[in-house]
Amino acid sequence: MPKASVSKLSNGMRVASEPCAGDTVTVGVWVDTGSRYETEENNGVAHFLEHMFFKGTKNRTQSALEMEIENMGGHLNAYTSREQTVFFARVFKQDMGKALEILADILQNSNFDPDYIDREKSTILREMQEVEGQVEEVVFDRLHETAYRGTSLGRTILGPVENINAMNREMIKDYVDTHYTANRMVVVGAGAIDHDELVKLADKNFGSVAPESKGKSPTFEKAVYTGSEIRMRYDDMPEAHIAYALPIGGWTDPDTFPFLVMQNMIGNWDEHIPGGQFSRIPLIQKSADLRMAKKISAFCTQYSDTGLFGVYAVAEPMALDDLMYNVQGTITDLAYDTDETLLEQAKKSLIIQTLSMMDGSTQICEELGRQMLSYGRRMHPVETVARIQAVDSAAIKAAASKYLYDQCHALAAIGPTHEMKDYVQMAEALTVSTAKTTPFPGPFHEK
């Protein structure tokens, strides 16, 4: 497998590339910023800014920008997460220079026209309504809200309605000047690419970006986890949607790979997938055989300094008591007993997922960009596979004992939740099932 190459421009901006077969190239800019770097007053500005970058620059109108990409047969996209904002284009290899110039133009020369800002507010408010109609999205937003309550990591990416309505050019410009600096940006390329050429193009187009913010420093609140819950009871809904989680370490934590393996050990399933009753995974087997849940999905969500490991489930109200007892037991059992066959199956599944990220320039580019911001380097797939293969039952038990055993959980639930035990009852049931006698600390509640 080819290796990634990394260079640094004179202003401190990093340039990373990784070749792969084909005639296309994906180039992009990964920025170390997102909703976590916002304040309560400007929450939503990072996502709003992502929209405004495509509304015209000093050199191109919005329609000219769209036409230029279309004429190249290219694809231009962007997204904002809690810790990263990404802009990338996929084009034919001969158009790499043009694509990078367009990215540089929108990131450095956007107009941020007040009229466009006012128009975009209605677009983002409609997007918010669409998100609110997706219960799974809402559940995970509420999970972050309760687990990281009172901190920036607990806020939504889109921000509240009042912030969107109050957005103006000054707020956007201030955010750009503070966060879009060379020390927080990485130019990334993958595909039919020459690294030296990419470095020259990056220097030409991004060499004048300020090395760091000349004004105030970027806001970054420390993540403070709080064992707590939010329940939004709607008895007219046919099923309850639940996200149950416990706190773990961030991306660079030594136990990251054991948790990724554990995620695959718990697995993913829904009622439309046949054969669930024959699964080797106990939680899935019981969910299918006893109609305990309609969907089970383990998750491992990590950030720079913290993370959440848990299970998202959808179930009818009368099954919630049994479901949550089994979810808690499944997670806690990882600290006691490891099914070696299931462990090996989970490792193979994770290795396949890892290797699938090498399938195409866009997947490689996204993984390379994410790792440059998360790890500060490219973790080669060979190293990743070796780290997965090194996970054994002892590593699983050690990580689970450290992070999952006898911990205050975070829970978000939406729907007919009346059959669920309350927070303390759930914690006590888990304590009894694991023969623990340590008093459980009082949680926060929100209903």
Side-chain angles (χ1 to χ4, degrees):
M1 290 182 180
K3 293 184 178 180
S5 300
V6 180
S7 301
K8 184 177 286 189
L9 304 182
S10 58
N11 60 358
M13 186 178 295
R14 290 168 292 170
V15 181
S17 71
E18 186 169 315
C20 70
D23 294 319
T24 62
V25 168
T26 300
V27 289
V29 180
W30 267 250
V31 190
D32 189 16
T33 191
S35 61
R36 186 175 183 181
Y37 294 88
E38 300 168 344
T39 64
E40 192 171 354
E41 291 72 29
N42 72 357
N43 177 211
V45 66
H47 175 260
F48 201 108
L49 175 59
E50 174 208 317
H51 282 240
M52 293 308 303
F53 275 132
F54 296 95
K55 301 305 176 184
T57 73
K58 298 174 184 177
N59 306 310
R60 294 175 173 89
T61 63
Q62 179 181 353
S63 58
L65 172 64
E66 293 170 353
M67 186 67 70
E68 203 165 346
I69 292 293
E70 186 176 327
N71 288 340
M72 288 191 292
H75 175 72
L76 183 63
N77 204 355
Y79 59 85
T80 304
S81 67
R82 284 181 164 83
E83 288 191 331
Q84 298 181 7
T85 303
V86 177
F87 305 84
F88 65 92
R90 183 176 183 179
V91 295
F92 288 109
K93 59 184 179 182
Q94 63 266 25
D95 294 320
M96 180 180 72
K98 193 65 177 176
L100 203 60
E101 188 271 325
I102 290 174
L103 288 169
D105 191 28
I106 65 175
L107 293 178
Q108 298 176 75
N109 302 312
S110 284
N111 292 322
F112 305 130
D113 187 304
D115 290 336
Y116 277 105
I117 291 174
D118 288 338
R119 283 184 228 164
E120 201 61 25
K121 291 176 183 179
S122 60
T123 301
I124 293 176
L125 290 174
R126 284 197 301 273
E127 182 181 346
M128 181 181 292
Q129 290 179 337
E130 292 174 4
V131 170
E132 289 174 350
Q134 301 169 23
V135 183
E136 185 172 346
E137 292 276 350
V138 178
V139 164
F140 277 97
D141 276 344
R142 297 292 82 79
L143 179 66
H144 280 77
E145 180 183 347
T146 194
Y148 300 111
R149 56 180 57 216
T151 69
S152 58
L153 204 53
R155 303 185 192 114
T156 64
I157 295 171
L158 270 63
V161 172
E162 55 269 24
N163 282 14
I164 295 171
N165 286 326
M167 202 66 64
N168 57 51
R169 190 174 192 275
E170 289 68 31
M171 292 171 64
I172 292 172
K173 280 286 294 176
D174 179 67
Y175 193 84
V176 172
D177 294 341
T178 304
H179 297 83
Y180 282 71
T181 54
N183 62 329
R184 305 178 65 82
M185 300 168 72
V186 185
V187 174
V188 183
I193 198 166
D194 177 77
H195 181 72
D196 292 337
E197 181 185 2
L198 180 63
V199 172
K200 290 177 182 178
L201 290 169
D203 191 41
K204 176 183 176 182
N205 292 289
F206 292 95
S208 61
V209 174
E212 57 186 27
S213 176
K214 297 177 181 178
K216 60 184 180 182
S217 301
T219 301
F220 184 85
E221 289 185 37
K222 181 181 178 181
V224 178
Y225 173 85
T226 302
S228 56
E229 66 176 24
I230 291 177
R231 300 191 189 195
M232 301 171 66
R233 180 173 169 178
Y234 299 105
D235 289 347
D236 57 339
M237 290 177 62
E239 300 110 13
H241 296 248
I242 302 151
Y244 173 95
L246 293 159
I248 61 173
W251 276 113
T252 57
D253 187 85
D255 291 315
T256 289
F257 283 94
F259 276 112
L260 291 174
V261 173
M262 279 187 259
Q263 179 186 358
N264 281 269
M265 290 176 70
I266 297 175
N268 298 278
W269 170 85
D270 69 50
E271 61 180 349
H272 302 296
I273 300 176
Q277 64 270 34
F278 306 113
S279 173
R280 190 177 185 90
I281 301 173
L283 183 60
I284 290 178
Q285 187 271 325
K286 290 180 181 178
S287 296
D289 195 35
L290 305 178
R291 301 179 64 84
M292 197 169 63
K294 294 191 172 183
K295 182 175 182 177
I296 294 288
S297 180
F299 59 86
C300 181
T301 304
Q302 290 180 286
Y303 301 100
S304 58
D305 58 345
T306 186
L308 294 171
F309 178 86
V311 172
Y312 166 72
V314 179
E316 295 179 349
M318 299 307 293
L320 292 179
D321 192 8
D322 286 340
L323 170 65
M324 295 313 300
Y325 181 83
N326 279 278
V327 166
Q328 290 180 282
T330 296
I331 292 176
T332 305
D333 283 350
L334 293 166
Y336 293 95
D337 185 40
T338 303
D339 183 326
E340 294 289 346
T341 301
L342 184 58
L343 172 60
E344 291 304 315
Q345 289 178 351
K347 288 161 64 173
K348 289 177 181 178
S349 175
L350 184 55
I351 289 171
I352 290 173
Q353 294 170 35
T354 299
L355 296 179
S356 69
M357 295 176 186
M358 298 292 294
D359 187 17
S361 65
T362 301
Q363 291 91 327
I364 294 173
C365 194
E366 289 203 65
E367 188 66 5
L368 176 57
R370 182 190 67 79
Q371 289 186 359
M372 288 299 298
L373 292 183
S374 300
Y375 301 138
R377 68 182 183 92
R378 168 60 157 153
M379 186 180 293
H380 195 275
V382 172
E383 178 186 350
T384 303
V385 170
R387 287 176 177 267
I388 295 170
Q389 290 175 332
V391 175
D392 57 15
S393 58
I396 295 292
K397 292 175 185 177
S401 296
K402 179 179 179 181
Y403 287 103
L404 308 180
Y405 183 72
D406 195 29
Q407 299 291 330
C408 296
H409 66 268
L411 182 141
I414 299 176
T417 61
H418 51 280
E419 291 297 327
M420 285 179 64
K421 288 184 169 68
D422 67 26
Y423 190 103
V424 173
Q425 288 175 319
M426 288 177 64
E428 287 176 344
L430 183 61
T431 303
V432 170
S433 70
T434 56
K436 285 292 290 183
T437 58
T438 305
F440 199 85
F444 290 88
H445 296 276
E446 186 171 328
K447 294 189 179 182

